[in-house]
Amino acid sequence: MDTPTRPPPPPGSSAAVASPNTPTPRPERRPTPPAFSSPLSARFSPQIPQQDRLPLSSSRTPGSLSSGEGVHHTSSPVPQFSTPPGPPIFSSPLRPAAVPFQASPATPQPVAFSWGSSLPTSSSPPYSNGSSELPLHHSADVDEYTLESPYVLFSAHKVLKRKKLANVPSLGFGALVSPGREIAPGPEVVHHEPHRCQTCGAYSNLYCEILVGSGQWQCVICKNLNSSDGEYIAPSKEDLRHWPELSSSAIDYVQNGNRPGFVPVSDTRITAPIFLVIDECLDEAHLQHLQGSLHAFADSLPPTMRLGIITYGRSVSVFDFSEGSVASADVLPGDKSPSQESLKALLYGTGIYLSPVHASLPVVHTIFSSLRPYKLNLPEASRDRCLGTAVEVALAIIRGPSADRTRGIIKRSGGNCRVLVCSGGPNTYGPGSVPHSFSHPNYAYMEKTAMKWMDHLGQEALRHNTTVDILCAGTCPVRIPILQPLAKSSGGVLILHDDFGEAFGVNLQRASSRAAGSHGLFEIRCSDDILVTQVIGPGEEAAVDSHETFKRDSSFCIQMHSVEETQSFALSMETKGDIKNDYVYFQFAVRYSNIYHTDISRVITVRLPTVDSVSMYLRSIQENAAAVLIAKRTLLHAKTFSDAIDMRLTVDERVKDIAVKYGSQLPKSRLYRFPQELSTLPESLFHLRRGPLLGNIVGHEDERSVLRNLFLNASFDLSLRMLAPRCLMHRDGGTFEELPAYDLAMQSNVAVVLDHGTEIFIWLGAELAAQEGKSAAALAACRTLAEELTEHRFPAPRILAFKEGSSQARYFVSRLIPAHKDPPYEQEARFPQLRTLTPEQRTRLKSSFLHFDDYSFCEWMRSLKLVPPEPS
């Protein structure tokens, strides 16, 4: 690889030595991941002479910068919702005006790597339902009060200086970080080695102060002075901004792949295979749906994608594509792990088990059509399934030996390979299995052993850059505690479906097409005043000896299972003591290899101001982000249904404590008024305690367990929707109005869409449903909206449509906050649309709730001795 060179220094700089037209090459330094060590309490802070100090942050506005200063601005607004092209911008609850929308294709396509972005775009910026337009980057002269990084969302835009006030555990302070997230335009991209602090390992950034005479820069984390090898020597402040890392808050340092043991190819997706592992113990009805989804899946794959097919029951069948148009399979026993002799026969034989789609598509369809339903008369849970052995065989074929050996170099697949398991029941045969019946005398021990074996298998897959996604469907319990460790340890996901129909097929396609980076290391560095106390997300703390160490490195390092844009990390932080500085700094760096053999170091630096005023702090709180952080911290302890019941009480106590600490007590009363600055927070937490994450509206514990695990790793957008549903009412003309998620939205003459993250409900009022033409148009508009909202969401939600009074309507009603028993003045305060109803409509609305019996949000607040905040 050619030695990367830095851009030429500004004219007149003393760094130009050899030739006025030739930049001085900088020797290549390939940094390795820094080590994790305990934070140090004292750090050396050298003083910079005032005459040489050049702060790269000030209070100038963006308009004061000239176009020649090298600062990159974006004028287009950030998309507002989850996927491009975005759905309409809906009105506030008080203004029933909206913008019509247009449908777009619902199937995402893989996006190739470009220098402006390292992963395909498939998710929206981490903002809630507001319409603020936020630029992606900001220069050092832009006021950070008006900016927010699209990769990091803090629970507050300010930090309290006093430790006692800042470290209130009921509210807490933290951030949601999505290091693999992509939006357009992407971060600034540079192709040189980064400048890093030799003391703590932090990266140079737009907030560093520069000694213009020597080019030295001061680290914002440890205050150490570092050399830039003369590259930051500049005659003026404007010339320094030509360096992207000194003008943008997010930087991608890109190195073209030159990893030892790899041979670059024109399209590494050609060598990154997908293995389908299919359950063959299905009844006929389920099998027919599965076959339809599999046929559509095969047709959606790129022609160059390599595909393998394995079916499993009591044995494992590995399909061979070497016979041309004939489908044949090699069969291995499923009662034990495959022997070395069996694997050698597969790997060194003449069979072709991974074949490009363009060469084998007819055979693939033949294989799917040849699948037959289960013949024996046994219950679904009692059928022998050797899922563990089947995944072992798939991993063995993926990892080698490599088919191509040239001059002693082995070609290896790039990025994360994928194993997609299509399962309809539990693993009850072979390694990692459990007995058919829970009444087995040794079931508890065998379950524990199976969980450990599956976790080990997932770690083995991760070591070979293979992700295992498990897509389950049907009515048979699949024993989630057994399968979850396999998906989690490999960096994959486990998803439940009602059947193998449309939602299953869409998720199968999206699971195969989503890009994933490998060898991910996530580093968190903060100012001395800040301590990271907890990290929740898809990874584990990196071993101390697995990455580079610096002299005084206090970073928190996480080994990521995979790097995907649908993920996020929830960080909880505290202050170590009273803060004396005006700002605190946070730097997040993720280092990984993407599917195109490109080494990427993404560095995000954020500065937050500190304040003494509690009211200023409360006004800076981002309620949606705070609610998601609280929910993730709560659900981390809800491993069982009994735990979930305890966590509901914890939510109650948390809300009461926030009111006591930050609210006000009413005169001559024991009641506390919840702080008005946090008016929507208790409502979101009320959704948490009664919704599917902690409540009992989801029937089976398997479903609750899957939802909780998905929520803990999900991006901010999906997490927010899973926590608090979004309610949209259809209006004449094809427009939609956003409403509070209360049952008062169920008016008989309207259609309502409720987006609850993993499920979307379309409800048609009885009066509207009686008008055939009008109801058909409303239903079509609602379906189109649902597709727009979830165009690239993973996992794809199921979409259910039903009429008022039907049995399925309970799914919709149970997600809404009951308010029908509240006094009229409280109903109108939280649902202003009621003021437009006629007396007849009010009577019909009231009569439709007679069969429901649940306490409302206001009743819940009063039970906690709290006065509900006024709606914002």
Side-chain angles (χ1 to χ4, degrees), residues 33-39 541-545 547-549 553-558:
F36 166 77
S37 61
S38 58
E541 185 172 349
V544 176
D545 58 352
H547 43 79
E548 181 183 358
T549 59
D553 187 3
S554 61
S555 65
F556 195 95
C557 297
I558 300 167

Side-chain angles (χ1 to χ4, degrees), residues 309 317-323 326-330 352-353 363 367:
I309 301 174
S317 300
V318 188
F319 283 88
D320 182 4
F321 297 101
S322 64
E323 300 294 334
V326 178
S328 62
D330 294 324
I352 299 175
Y353 306 107
V363 181
I367 294 172

Side-chain angles (χ1 to χ4, degrees), residues 545-749:
D545 58 352
S546 65
H547 43 79
E548 181 183 358
T549 59
F550 293 84
K551 287 185 292 185
R552 287 165 53 197
D553 187 3
S554 61
S555 65
F556 195 95
C557 297
I558 300 167
Q559 194 71 48
M560 300 177 67
H561 295 154
S562 63
V563 183
E564 302 182 20
E565 55 185 330
T566 57
Q567 303 168 339
S568 74
F569 289 88
L571 279 55
S572 298
M573 306 178 191
E574 292 182 354
T575 58
K576 298 178 183 178
D578 291 347
I579 301 175
K580 296 180 173 58
N581 299 317
D582 293 332
Y583 298 96
V584 288
Y585 297 89
F586 306 85
Q587 192 171 83
F588 310 96
V590 58
R591 308 174 61 191
Y592 66 100
S593 296
N594 72 354
I595 60 173
Y596 298 96
H597 290 270
T598 302
D599 294 332
I600 298 174
S601 297
R602 171 168 293 176
V603 181
I604 305 148
T605 309
V606 181
R607 181 176 77 172
L608 296 182
T610 58
V611 294
D612 289 305
S613 169
V614 175
S615 61
M616 290 180 64
Y617 170 71
L618 291 178
R619 286 196 298 270
S620 77
I621 288 178
Q622 305 300 295
E623 294 175 76
N624 287 337
V628 170
L629 283 167
I630 290 173
K632 292 199 176 196
R633 289 197 294 264
T634 303
L635 287 176
L636 188 64
H637 303 287
K639 300 184 184 301
T640 65
F641 183 67
S642 59
D643 293 338
I645 296 176
D646 294 337
M647 289 302 104
R648 293 180 210 165
L649 300 177
T650 301
V651 171
D652 294 348
E653 294 302 319
R654 186 184 296 274
V655 172
K656 288 171 61 176
D657 191 65
I658 292 174
V660 171
K661 295 292 196 306
Y662 296 110
S664 58
Q665 188 173 8
L666 298 184
K668 300 180 181 180
S669 172
R670 295 183 180 181
L671 298 179
Y672 280 84
R673 185 180 299 278
F674 203 84
Q676 189 60 36
E677 296 89 345
L678 308 179
S679 60
T680 65
L681 180 61
E683 193 170 294
S684 297
L685 297 181
F686 185 63
H687 277 296
L688 169 66
R689 74 182 309 282
R690 71 181 301 274
L693 296 173
L694 284 181
N696 54 8
I697 65 174
V698 174
H700 199 276
E701 181 58 27
D702 275 2
E703 298 176 75
R704 290 190 286 266
S705 176
V706 168
L707 286 175
R708 291 169 195 150
N709 280 282
L710 178 63
F711 180 83
L712 290 176
N713 297 333
S715 66
F716 168 74
D717 301 289
L718 180 56
S719 298
L720 181 61
R721 287 286 72 82
M722 293 177 69
L723 173 64
R726 187 174 180 212
C727 186
L728 302 163
M729 178 183 289
H730 177 261
R731 293 295 190 185
D732 292 337
T735 61
F736 285 84
E737 176 190 358
E738 184 167 358
L739 302 175
Y742 282 76
D743 57 6
L744 299 173
M746 297 190 301
Q747 300 172 26
S748 292
N749 61 335

Side-chain angles (χ1 to χ4, degrees), residues 147-336:
L147 297 168
E148 187 70 58
S149 170
Y151 309 100
V152 184
L153 186 62
F154 282 91
S155 60
H157 286 161
K158 296 179 176 64
V159 180
L160 278 171
K161 289 187 175 182
R162 293 180 58 188
K163 175 183 177 181
K164 183 177 180 181
L165 296 176
N167 296 343
V168 174
S170 55
L171 182 59
F173 173 75
L176 292 160
V177 185
S178 301
R181 187 164 177 266
E182 286 302 334
I183 61 174
E188 292 283 352
V189 175
V190 294
H191 304 283
H192 59 71
E193 291 286 342
H195 283 296
R196 301 191 65 180
C197 178
Q198 298 304 305
T199 300
C200 70
Y203 296 76
S204 62
N205 57 80
L206 75 169
Y207 300 114
C208 293
E209 294 184 348
I210 309 293
L211 288 173
V212 292
S214 62
Q216 290 177 297
W217 60 279
Q218 186 182 45
C219 175
V220 299
I221 302 297
C222 70
K223 308 304 180 184
N224 182 61
L225 274 178
N226 298 275
S227 171
S228 66
D229 298 329
E231 292 174 347
Y232 289 164
I233 296 176
S236 67
K237 180 179 182 180
E238 286 70 21
D239 291 312
L240 274 177
R241 295 197 193 95
H242 287 289
W243 297 102
E245 62 265 36
L246 301 183
S247 61
S248 297
S249 62
I251 292 289
D252 275 359
Y253 294 97
V254 175
Q255 298 266 332
N256 286 337
N258 201 19
R259 187 179 297 279
F262 286 82
V263 174
V265 292
S266 59
D267 184 359
T268 54
R269 277 188 179 270
I270 297 176
T271 60
I274 289 178
F275 239 121
L276 281 175
V277 179
I278 303 170
D279 185 355
E280 60 181 21
C281 300
L282 302 178
D283 292 330
E284 186 171 2
H286 287 316
L287 181 61
Q288 288 178 356
H289 283 119
L290 176 61
Q291 286 175 320
S293 297
L294 291 175
H295 285 302
F297 168 74
D299 290 333
S300 72
L301 292 176
T304 56
M305 179 70 72
R306 292 194 302 156
L307 179 66
I309 301 174
I310 288 177
T311 61
Y312 68 94
R314 193 176 176 84
S315 59
V316 176
S317 300
V318 188
F319 283 88
D320 182 4
F321 297 101
S322 64
E323 300 294 334
S325 60
V326 178
S328 62
D330 294 324
V331 181
L332 286 77
D335 60 337
K336 59 184 178 180

Side-chain angles (χ1 to χ4, degrees), residues 425-443:
N427 181 33
T428 54
Y429 192 66
S433 65
V434 290
H436 302 113
S437 174
F438 288 102
S439 60
H440 191 283
N442 290 331
Y443 185 87

